[in-house]
Amino acid sequence: LPDSLHEDGLAAVLDTGKPVFYEIPITHTRERTKPALRLLLSAPQLTHADLELGFAPVLARVAEVVGSGQLGALRTATLRTQMPWGGMANWDLCTINHLAPWYVDPLNRVLGSSPDRVLVLDGAGKPGRMQNQSTGLLDYSGIWGVLQANIDNVGPIETVLEVNGDDGDLVADLFAAELRLRTRGGPEWIAEQHADLQPRAAWPGMHECVQAFFADVERGGTGTADARTVAQLHLVGLAAEESVDSGTWAEVEALEQI
């Protein structure tokens, strides 16, 4: 479905009471974001968003390495994404908000938390709020997250995550399914491959995300693409909108404020 039909489509399926696998963002306007989230959060059935990047095997390995402490105290985590489809003119959502559900989610999974505040360094030249180039700075209680987006690049689609700590560095190419790691004890880069299920369904983690949905349906679980996770990601997006308007840092609202 196109973004403009996401909210109506989700509402119609939620009315059935059956488990739902759905696309994000949940709606295509700032004004409708919180009402749509309230509907999602009130749904009694299992809901599972298409947060495919968060289910990529290489990202799971990144989270494992970070959690093991091999990088020491974490300082920065930067996710850079490049894609050639270009911003939509006169769109109501800014670029960072539009991308937040997919691309802030991997940062949250790796860092084990959600950002407290957001600062957007926006591009220019496109009518409306969605610019071709935009950067979001994310404050994870003193660990700096960065989402750097170029949605009008001239090359292939790329998404690369770099994590830096006091004792090491890690770089993961999600489309190449490759992780490179170096530490003070082993300063030479070590490369690992963590392939997606094949054949890949366009985006990294797509098969794994759908597989997790069916597993949740079978066991009656809620998983890691549930309504609260999705709502938190959209609140980060709304903070990005506030930052675009104010030109400064914007606090991320609590779920209870929806």
Side-chain angles (χ1 to χ4, degrees):
L1 291 176
D3 289 359
S4 59
L5 297 179
H6 283 185
E7 181 182 356
D8 290 343
L10 178 59
V13 179
L14 289 176
D15 280 344
T16 70
K18 298 183 182 298
V20 179
F21 184 92
Y22 64 97
E23 183 63 284
I24 46 179
I26 198 169
T27 187
H28 69 299
T29 69
R30 290 164 285 161
E31 181 182 18
R32 291 298 306 164
T33 298
K34 285 188 177 180
L37 290 176
R38 284 193 288 269
L39 178 65
L40 177 66
L41 288 165
S42 67
Q45 72 262 50
L46 168 69
T47 61
H48 188 106
D50 180 20
L51 299 176
E52 65 260 20
L53 293 178
F55 290 82
V58 70
L59 190 79
R61 175 59 177 154
V62 171
E64 180 183 0
V65 171
V66 169
S68 73
Q70 293 181 61
L71 303 184
L74 299 182
R75 299 304 177 192
T76 61
T78 302
L79 192 146
R80 299 181 183 88
T81 187
Q82 300 198 72
M83 55 195 78
W85 44 267
M88 291 174 276
N90 301 310
W91 198 245
D92 189 64
L93 306 183
C94 74
T95 304
I96 297 301
N97 183 10
H98 186 88
L99 296 179
W102 293 289
Y103 292 92
V104 174
D105 182 55
L107 291 169
N108 287 358
R109 290 173 188 262
V110 167
L111 298 177
S113 64
S114 185
D116 304 315
R117 55 182 185 147
V118 181
L119 173 64
V120 174
L121 309 177
D122 215 11
K126 198 83 173 180
R129 299 180 71 85
M130 181 179 286
Q131 300 302 315
N132 286 338
Q133 291 82 30
S134 189
T135 298
L137 306 182
L138 310 166
D139 183 1
Y140 287 85
S141 300
I143 300 173
W144 298 114
V146 182
L147 171 54
Q148 189 176 71
N150 175 12
I151 60 174
D152 194 35
N153 78 313
V154 297
I157 296 173
E158 297 177 350
T159 299
V160 177
L161 174 63
E162 180 175 343
V163 184
N164 307 111
D166 285 348
D167 294 327
D169 308 298
L170 180 155
V171 178
D173 186 324
L174 272 64
F175 277 86
E178 181 186 73
L179 178 150
R180 294 188 298 128
L181 172 68
R182 64 183 180 186
T183 64
R184 292 199 185 280
E188 299 297 323
W189 286 108
I190 298 174
E192 303 176 2
Q193 288 291 135
H194 298 275
D196 305 85
L197 291 172
Q198 298 297 315
R200 176 184 285 162
W203 243 249
M206 186 71 242
H207 281 310
E208 290 80 1
C209 187
V210 174
Q211 189 178 63
F213 168 63
F214 284 120
D216 289 340
V217 171
E218 290 177 353
R219 68 169 181 258
T222 56
T224 58
D226 64 330
R228 290 182 64 86
T229 298
V230 171
Q232 187 65 53
L233 291 166
H234 279 80
L235 288 176
V236 173
L238 289 178
E241 298 286 1
E242 183 181 341
S243 177
V244 168
D245 290 335
S246 69
T248 189
W249 287 96
E251 300 289 329
V252 178
E253 292 185 40
L255 279 175
E256 294 69 27
Q257 295 178 274
I258 294 178

